[in-house]
Amino acid sequence: MSQLFSSSNVKLLTNPLNQENPITVQVLGICSALAVTVQMKPALVMALSVTIVMGVANLIISLLRNTIPPRIRIIVQLVVIATLVILVDQILKAFLYDVSKELSVFVGLIITNCIILGRLEAFAMSNKPWQSLLDGIGNGLGYAWILFVVAFFREFLGSGTFFGYPVLEKIGLYQTGYVNNGLMILPPMALILVGVIIWVHRSFNKSLIESK
Amino acid sequence: MVDRVKPHFEKGGRFAALHSAFDAIETFLFVPNEVTAKGTHIRDGIDMKRTMIIVVIALLPALLFGMFNVGYQHFLSIGEALPFFSWQGFWFGFLKVLPIILVSYITGLGIEIIFAQMKGHQVAEGFFVSGMLIPLIMPIDTPLWMIALATAFAVIFGKEVFGGSGMNIFNPALLARVFVFFAYPAYMTGDRIWVAGMTRGEGIVDGFSGATPLGNAAADSIDRIPGFLDLFLGTIPGSIGETSTLAILLGAVLLLVTGIGSWKIMLSALVGGVVMGGVLNIWGANSYMEIPFYSHLVMGGFAFGVVFMATDPVTAAQTETGKWIYGFLIGFLSILIRVVNPAYPEGVMLAILLMNMFAPLIDYYVVQANIKRRLKRVKSPTVN
C-alpha cells in the first residue's frame, strides 16, 4: 500500500492540478472548456465524465501497451476512448437525461478531447497501469477544477445563480439596479476567463513564465 | 512647488512608490524636463500629450452639443418644448453627462496608475482621449456602474494585457461600448435609453418616441426618420456625442489642420460608405435599402466613428496604402452591417473593431508588395 502511494505516484496525481495543468499550462481541451461552462451542473458532469474516461482509458492502454503495434497505436487508442465515451453517453442518457441533452454533442466530442489522446500517447504508452490510472485521474481533476472556476464565474455573473439556485435574487441585488452580464454567457468570455486564470496562475508560479 | 516636493518621489524618497503618478502629473503640467544630451537632433515640439490634448479639444464641440441635446430631448419627452440652445436644457444635460465623464476618467486612470506602479513604468497618456470618447458613445441613461465596469474591462483587457498604451490592437473606447452592447443589451438598444429619464418612464408624453433614426430604420418605420437637416445638425435622440454631424465636422477640421487625424482614412471611409450606400440604393430590395446614401453618412455614429475612432493612430493601419484600404473597408462594412443585419442596428462600432483586427495584416501585405516591387526594380537591369 505504501508503495502504491509513494511520493512519486502521488505527484502523478497532484502535478496536473498545478504545475502541469492540462488547460492552463499545456493549453489542451480549451474547446470543451468554452462550451460546457455556462452553468455549474453541466460543467460538473462533463468534468466527471472526462476524468472517468481518461482514467480508465489510460489504464486499458497501459495494460495493452506492449501488444499494440506502433503503426496503428492511434487507432487502437481511439477505439478504446470511443468505447468508453459511448458507455458514458449511454449512462448519462439513462440517468441524467436533462444534463445529457444540455451537453448534447460535447459528450461525444470527449473522443476528440486533446487531453485524453495526449495523455495516452505521452504517458500510458510508456508507463505501468497503476501509474497510468493515477495520471489519468490527476489530469482529469486538473481539467475539472479549471472548468469549475470558469463555470462558477460564468453562471454567477451571467445568470446570477449557483448550481441553478438564484443567489442574487434571494439577496435582493436586482432591486439596487444590478443586471446580469450577458457577455458572460457568450463563449468569448470563457476564453477571457481562462486567460485570467492563466494570468493569476503564472503570477503565483514564476517558474511557468517563459524567459524572453 | 512641484520642484520642491519632487525629491520625495524620487528613489529613496518618502513617496518613492508613487513616482509614476507624480511623473504623470508633473509632465502634464510642464514640458518634460529632459534635454537631448548629445549630438544634433531635430525634435518636434509635438509629443504624445499635446496630441492627446488636441484630440480632446476636437471632441469638445460634440461634447457641448451633446449636453444641449440631452437637455433638449429630455424636456421634449416630458412635453416641455424648449428652444434648443437654452440654459435650462444645457444645465440639465451638463449634470447628466458630467458624472459619466468623471466615472470614466477615474476608473480608467485609476487602473492605468495601478498597472504603472506594478510594472514600474510611467503612466501613459493614452487614456486622456479614451476617457473622453467613452462617455460620448454611451447612451445617456447608461447606469454609472456599467460605465465603470466597461471602462475597467476595456483598459485591462483591451490595453494592459497587450502591454499598455500604443500596443493595443483594439480601440479601448469601442471595446468599452462593445462590452456594454453584448453584456447589457437592454441598455444599449431599444427606443427608451437614448433620452434621459425615459427608462424609468418619468412623465413621458404620449406619442413621443425616443427611438434613434437607425432604430426606426431597422424596425421598418422609415417614415419616422427625421429629415436630412435634423440628422446633420443632430437634434435627434442618440448616444451623447454622436448625433450632430456638424459638431463632429468641427472637430474633424481641427484634427485635419493639425495633421493628427489621417485625412486618408477619413476620406476613404467616406467613399466606402457612399459606395455601399449607393450599391444598396441600386439594389433596393426593401425600404431600408432605399434610404439615400447621403443620409447614411449623417445617421448614427458613422461620422463620429470615422472621425475619432477609425483615425486612432495606434489601431489603424500604419502604411499609407494600407490607410486607404483600411478606411474604405470601415465605411463599406459599417453600412453593410447596418442595413443587412437586423440584429445590429449600428454597424460602425463592429466595422471599426473588425478592421482594427485586420490592420496589421493589411500593413503586412502592403509592405510585402513594396518589397517585391523594389526587388523587381533592382533585378530588372541584370535580366536584360
Side-chain angles (χ1 to χ4, degrees), chain A residues 79-132:
Chain A
V79 168
V80 171
I81 301 170
T83 315
L84 291 166
V85 168
I86 290 167
L87 282 176
V88 166
D89 195 23
Q90 293 301 319
I91 291 171
L92 285 183
K93 274 189 183 145
F95 297 105
L96 284 166
Y97 188 66
D98 293 342
V99 181
S100 159
K101 247 173 94 177
E102 214 167 316
L103 287 171
S104 67
V105 71
F106 290 101
V107 177
L109 283 178
I110 296 177
I111 299 171
T112 59
N113 193 322
C114 355
I115 304 174
I116 301 182
L117 205 59
R119 288 331 285 174
L120 292 186
E121 195 48 19
F123 197 88
M125 285 301 283
S126 49
N127 283 285
K128 290 193 175 121
W130 172 244
Q131 277 87 344
S132 297

Side-chain angles (χ1 to χ4, degrees), chain A residues 2-189:
Chain A
S2 64
Q3 214 195 340
L4 282 182
F5 288 99
S6 67
S7 68
S8 70
N9 283 355
V10 170
K11 257 215 164 98
L12 290 176
L13 207 56
T14 57
N15 251 357
L17 297 180
N18 186 13
Q19 291 289 323
E20 286 165 22
N21 191 288
I23 292 187
T24 61
V25 180
Q26 303 173 31
V27 199
L28 297 172
I30 296 289
C31 23
S32 54
L34 305 189
V36 299
T37 51
V38 177
Q39 284 172 330
M40 294 286 283
K41 206 171 155 197
L44 175 76
V45 174
M46 181 74 179
L48 213 62
S49 313
V50 170
T51 309
I52 291 170
V53 170
M54 188 136 50
V56 179
N58 254 9
L59 179 68
I60 294 175
I61 290 296
S62 177
L63 288 170
L64 294 174
R65 71 184 188 279
N66 294 325
T67 56
I68 301 174
R71 298 181 77 175
I72 59 160
R73 67 183 194 283
I74 301 281
I75 299 173
V76 176
Q77 289 162 5
L78 277 177
V79 168
V80 171
I81 301 170
T83 315
L84 291 166
V85 168
I86 290 167
L87 282 176
V88 166
D89 195 23
Q90 293 301 319
I91 291 171
L92 285 183
K93 274 189 183 145
F95 297 105
L96 284 166
Y97 188 66
D98 293 342
V99 181
S100 159
K101 247 173 94 177
E102 214 167 316
L103 287 171
S104 67
V105 71
F106 290 101
V107 177
L109 283 178
I110 296 177
I111 299 171
T112 59
N113 193 322
C114 355
I115 304 174
I116 301 182
L117 205 59
R119 288 331 285 174
L120 292 186
E121 195 48 19
F123 197 88
M125 285 301 283
S126 49
N127 283 285
K128 290 193 175 121
W130 172 244
Q131 277 87 344
S132 297
L133 179 66
L134 288 180
D135 181 79
I137 293 173
N139 274 285
L141 293 177
Y143 172 80
W145 82 258
I146 303 287
L147 239 62
F148 286 156
V149 175
V150 175
F152 169 77
F153 282 109
R154 286 185 76 189
E155 185 181 338
F156 188 72
L157 299 174
S159 323
T161 54
F162 178 73
F163 271 106
Y165 181 79
V167 187
L168 296 185
E169 201 184 316
K170 294 285 180 216
I171 61 172
L173 201 61
Y174 292 117
Q175 272 95 53
T176 62
Y178 177 80
V179 186
N180 286 328
N181 189 326
L183 195 58
M184 280 288 168
I185 298 178
L186 301 173
M189 211 55 196

Side-chain angles (χ1 to χ4, degrees), chain A residues 177-183 189 192 196 199, chain B residues 115 145-146 153 157 161 179 182-184 187:
Chain A
Y178 177 80
V179 186
N180 286 328
N181 189 326
L183 195 58
M189 211 55 196
I192 291 175
V196 172
W199 185 1
Chain B
F115 268 90
W145 65 269
M146 267 180 208
F153 177 85
F157 292 103
V161 294
F179 178 82
F182 284 108
Y184 309 105
Y187 288 82

